[in-house]
Amino acid sequence: MELPKFLLADNTDYPEAIFIVHTEYPRFIINLENDEVEWMEEFSKEDEADLTDEAESLIEAATAFYDREVSRYDK
């Protein structure tokens, strides 16, 4: 099965949360309510240095994905 790069998720235990799941490496979940990120990977010290720049662009892409999905829903 091929998964999309981003998935929109919710949970009734967290009614205010808006979760975006990034399914490719490095996998993570971001809660757009508070910008909290949960990484689903283990990183070495070398990886962490490289990840800093990439993480910012991935989080921006996750936010853009959410904005696009919401705009499609409103139509």
Side-chain angles (χ1 to χ4, degrees):
M1 168 175 41
E2 187 173 332
L3 293 175
K5 184 174 185 172
F6 293 106
L7 299 170
L8 183 59
D10 66 359
N11 186 301
T12 56
D13 292 336
Y14 303 92
E16 301 300 317
I18 302 167
F19 297 108
I20 304 296
V21 181
H22 182 252
T23 63
E24 298 175 356
Y25 183 85
R27 296 173 304 146
F28 65 87
I29 300 172
I30 182 171
N31 181 350
L32 295 180
E33 175 194 20
N34 57 17
D35 294 332
E36 185 176 339
V37 176
E38 180 70 30
W39 297 97
M40 298 186 294
E41 310 284 356
E42 296 289 327
F43 300 109
S44 68
K45 291 293 182 190
E46 296 82 23
D47 290 340
E48 287 179 17
D50 294 337
L51 186 63
T52 302
D53 294 333
E54 187 177 359
E56 185 175 334
S57 65
L58 287 171
I59 290 168
E60 288 174 6
T63 302
F65 163 77
Y66 173 76
D67 291 341
R68 186 191 78 198
E69 292 298 300
V70 168
S71 72
R72 289 177 176 175
Y73 182 75
D74 289 339
K75 293 180 180 182

